[in-house]
Short mmCIF file of all heavy atoms in Angstrom, two decimals:
data_model
loop_
_atom_site.label_atom_id
_atom_site.label_comp_id
_atom_site.label_asym_id
_atom_site.label_seq_id
_atom_site.Cartn_x
_atom_site.Cartn_y
_atom_site.Cartn_z
N THR A 289 30.28 22.13 -7.23
CA THR A 289 30.78 22.06 -5.85
C THR A 289 29.70 22.48 -4.86
O THR A 289 29.49 21.82 -3.84
CB THR A 289 32.00 23.00 -5.67
OG1 THR A 289 32.92 22.73 -6.73
CG2 THR A 289 32.71 22.76 -4.36
N ALA A 290 28.98 23.57 -5.16
CA ALA A 290 27.98 24.09 -4.21
C ALA A 290 26.84 23.09 -4.03
O ALA A 290 26.43 22.78 -2.90
CB ALA A 290 27.44 25.43 -4.70
N ILE A 291 26.32 22.55 -5.14
CA ILE A 291 25.18 21.63 -5.03
C ILE A 291 25.61 20.30 -4.42
O ILE A 291 24.92 19.72 -3.59
CB ILE A 291 24.49 21.45 -6.41
CG1 ILE A 291 23.87 22.79 -6.83
CG2 ILE A 291 23.43 20.35 -6.36
CD1 ILE A 291 23.20 22.80 -8.19
N GLU A 292 26.80 19.84 -4.80
CA GLU A 292 27.33 18.58 -4.24
C GLU A 292 27.48 18.69 -2.72
O GLU A 292 27.12 17.78 -1.97
CB GLU A 292 28.68 18.26 -4.90
CG GLU A 292 29.31 16.95 -4.50
CD GLU A 292 28.49 15.76 -4.95
OE1 GLU A 292 28.21 15.61 -6.14
OE2 GLU A 292 28.11 14.97 -4.06
N ALA A 293 27.99 19.83 -2.26
CA ALA A 293 28.20 20.02 -0.82
C ALA A 293 26.86 20.07 -0.09
O ALA A 293 26.72 19.51 1.00
CB ALA A 293 28.96 21.32 -0.58
N SER A 294 25.87 20.74 -0.70
CA SER A 294 24.55 20.82 -0.07
C SER A 294 23.95 19.42 0.06
O SER A 294 23.39 19.06 1.10
CB SER A 294 23.61 21.68 -0.92
OG SER A 294 24.25 22.87 -1.27
N ARG A 295 24.11 18.63 -1.00
CA ARG A 295 23.56 17.27 -0.96
C ARG A 295 24.23 16.46 0.14
O ARG A 295 23.58 15.70 0.87
CB ARG A 295 23.79 16.58 -2.31
CG ARG A 295 22.82 17.02 -3.37
CD ARG A 295 23.27 16.69 -4.78
NE ARG A 295 24.00 15.45 -4.87
CZ ARG A 295 24.64 15.04 -5.96
NH1 ARG A 295 24.62 15.80 -7.04
NH2 ARG A 295 25.28 13.92 -5.99
N MET A 296 25.51 16.64 0.29
CA MET A 296 26.24 15.86 1.28
C MET A 296 25.80 16.24 2.70
O MET A 296 25.57 15.37 3.55
CB MET A 296 27.74 16.07 1.13
CG MET A 296 28.56 15.03 1.83
SD MET A 296 30.24 15.03 1.27
CE MET A 296 30.87 16.44 2.09
N LEU A 297 25.68 17.54 2.96
CA LEU A 297 25.30 17.96 4.31
C LEU A 297 23.86 17.58 4.65
O LEU A 297 23.52 17.33 5.80
CB LEU A 297 25.49 19.47 4.48
CG LEU A 297 26.94 19.92 4.69
CD1 LEU A 297 27.03 21.44 4.78
CD2 LEU A 297 27.56 19.32 5.93
N LEU A 298 22.99 17.51 3.61
CA LEU A 298 21.60 17.11 3.87
C LEU A 298 21.51 15.62 4.22
O LEU A 298 20.57 15.18 4.84
CB LEU A 298 20.73 17.40 2.64
CG LEU A 298 20.30 18.86 2.47
CD1 LEU A 298 19.62 19.05 1.14
CD2 LEU A 298 19.37 19.29 3.59
N ARG A 299 22.50 14.87 3.75
CA ARG A 299 22.49 13.43 4.04
C ARG A 299 22.84 13.14 5.50
O ARG A 299 22.64 12.03 5.98
CB ARG A 299 23.52 12.71 3.16
CG ARG A 299 22.99 12.38 1.80
CD ARG A 299 23.45 11.00 1.36
NE ARG A 299 22.69 10.56 0.21
CZ ARG A 299 23.07 10.77 -1.05
NH1 ARG A 299 24.19 11.40 -1.29
NH2 ARG A 299 22.34 10.33 -2.04
N VAL A 300 23.43 14.11 6.18
CA VAL A 300 23.86 13.89 7.57
C VAL A 300 22.65 13.97 8.49
O VAL A 300 21.96 14.98 8.50
CB VAL A 300 24.91 14.96 7.98
CG1 VAL A 300 25.29 14.80 9.44
CG2 VAL A 300 26.14 14.87 7.10
N ASP A 301 22.41 12.91 9.26
CA ASP A 301 21.29 12.99 10.20
C ASP A 301 21.74 12.70 11.63
O ASP A 301 20.95 12.55 12.52
CB ASP A 301 20.15 12.04 9.79
CG ASP A 301 20.53 10.60 10.03
OD1 ASP A 301 21.75 10.34 10.12
OD2 ASP A 301 19.63 9.75 10.13
N ASP A 302 23.05 12.59 11.82
CA ASP A 302 23.54 12.30 13.16
C ASP A 302 24.95 12.86 13.31
O ASP A 302 25.80 12.57 12.46
CB ASP A 302 23.57 10.78 13.38
CG ASP A 302 23.16 10.42 14.80
OD1 ASP A 302 23.39 11.26 15.66
OD2 ASP A 302 22.64 9.32 15.02
N VAL A 303 25.18 13.64 14.33
CA VAL A 303 26.53 14.13 14.61
C VAL A 303 26.93 13.58 15.96
O VAL A 303 26.29 13.89 16.97
CB VAL A 303 26.59 15.68 14.64
CG1 VAL A 303 28.00 16.15 14.94
CG2 VAL A 303 26.12 16.24 13.32
N VAL A 304 27.93 12.69 15.99
CA VAL A 304 28.32 12.08 17.27
C VAL A 304 29.77 12.40 17.56
O VAL A 304 30.58 12.56 16.67
CB VAL A 304 28.14 10.54 17.25
CG1 VAL A 304 26.69 10.17 17.34
CG2 VAL A 304 28.77 9.93 16.04
N GLN A 305 30.05 12.48 18.83
CA GLN A 305 31.41 12.76 19.27
C GLN A 305 32.15 11.44 19.42
O GLN A 305 31.65 10.52 20.06
CB GLN A 305 31.33 13.47 20.64
CG GLN A 305 32.67 13.88 21.18
CD GLN A 305 33.11 15.22 20.63
OE1 GLN A 305 32.29 15.95 20.10
NE2 GLN A 305 34.36 15.53 20.73
N ALA A 306 33.32 11.32 18.80
CA ALA A 306 34.12 10.10 18.94
C ALA A 306 35.13 10.33 20.06
O ALA A 306 35.86 11.31 20.06
CB ALA A 306 34.85 9.81 17.65
N VAL A 307 35.15 9.42 21.04
CA VAL A 307 36.05 9.57 22.19
C VAL A 307 37.00 8.38 22.21
O VAL A 307 36.59 7.25 22.02
CB VAL A 307 35.23 9.59 23.51
CG1 VAL A 307 36.14 9.85 24.68
CG2 VAL A 307 34.14 10.64 23.44
N ARG A 308 38.25 8.66 22.48
CA ARG A 308 39.22 7.57 22.56
C ARG A 308 39.27 7.06 23.98
O ARG A 308 39.53 7.79 24.92
CB ARG A 308 40.60 8.10 22.16
CG ARG A 308 41.64 6.99 22.06
CD ARG A 308 43.03 7.59 21.89
NE ARG A 308 44.00 6.52 21.96
CZ ARG A 308 44.55 5.95 20.92
NH1 ARG A 308 44.23 6.34 19.71
NH2 ARG A 308 45.42 4.97 21.06
N LYS A 309 38.96 5.78 24.15
CA LYS A 309 39.00 5.16 25.48
C LYS A 309 39.88 3.93 25.41
O LYS A 309 39.98 3.28 24.37
CB LYS A 309 37.59 4.73 25.90
CG LYS A 309 36.60 5.88 26.01
CD LYS A 309 36.58 6.44 27.39
CE LYS A 309 35.52 7.52 27.52
NZ LYS A 309 35.44 8.07 28.83
N ASP A 310 40.48 3.57 26.53
CA ASP A 310 41.25 2.33 26.56
C ASP A 310 40.32 1.16 26.88
O ASP A 310 39.31 1.32 27.55
CB ASP A 310 42.35 2.41 27.64
CG ASP A 310 43.44 3.37 27.21
OD1 ASP A 310 43.68 3.42 25.98
OD2 ASP A 310 44.00 4.06 28.06
N ARG A 311 40.67 -0.01 26.36
CA ARG A 311 39.80 -1.16 26.55
C ARG A 311 39.85 -1.71 27.97
O ARG A 311 39.01 -2.49 28.37
CB ARG A 311 40.22 -2.28 25.59
CG ARG A 311 39.74 -2.02 24.17
CD ARG A 311 40.11 -3.19 23.30
NE ARG A 311 39.66 -2.98 21.94
CZ ARG A 311 38.45 -3.24 21.50
NH1 ARG A 311 37.54 -3.70 22.32
NH2 ARG A 311 38.12 -3.03 20.24
N GLU A 312 40.86 -1.34 28.72
CA GLU A 312 41.03 -1.91 30.06
C GLU A 312 39.81 -1.58 30.93
O GLU A 312 39.27 -0.49 30.87
CB GLU A 312 42.28 -1.34 30.72
CG GLU A 312 42.72 -2.14 31.92
CD GLU A 312 44.00 -1.57 32.51
OE1 GLU A 312 44.47 -0.52 32.04
OE2 GLU A 312 44.50 -2.17 33.43
N GLY A 313 39.40 -2.54 31.72
CA GLY A 313 38.25 -2.32 32.62
C GLY A 313 36.94 -2.39 31.86
O GLY A 313 35.98 -1.73 32.21
N GLY A 314 36.91 -3.21 30.80
CA GLY A 314 35.66 -3.37 30.05
C GLY A 314 35.61 -2.39 28.90
O GLY A 314 36.16 -1.30 28.97
N GLN A 315 34.92 -2.79 27.83
CA GLN A 315 34.90 -1.97 26.62
C GLN A 315 34.23 -0.62 26.89
O GLN A 315 33.12 -0.56 27.38
CB GLN A 315 34.13 -2.71 25.53
CG GLN A 315 34.13 -1.93 24.24
CD GLN A 315 33.91 -2.84 23.06
OE1 GLN A 315 33.87 -4.04 23.24
NE2 GLN A 315 33.79 -2.29 21.89
N GLY A 316 34.95 0.44 26.55
CA GLY A 316 34.38 1.78 26.67
C GLY A 316 34.29 2.28 28.09
O GLY A 316 33.78 3.36 28.34
N GLN A 317 34.78 1.48 29.09
CA GLN A 317 34.64 1.93 30.48
C GLN A 317 35.81 2.80 30.92
O GLN A 317 35.79 3.38 31.97
CB GLN A 317 34.57 0.70 31.41
CG GLN A 317 33.32 -0.14 31.21
CD GLN A 317 32.07 0.64 31.53
OE1 GLN A 317 32.00 1.28 32.58
NE2 GLN A 317 31.09 0.62 30.66
#
């Protein structure tokens, strides 16, 4: 478990925030 978790976290190279937006008024606007 410990080594598997370390491997998984090392694979992460981007942390992005997901925001819920409505499509109205253009995508993501």
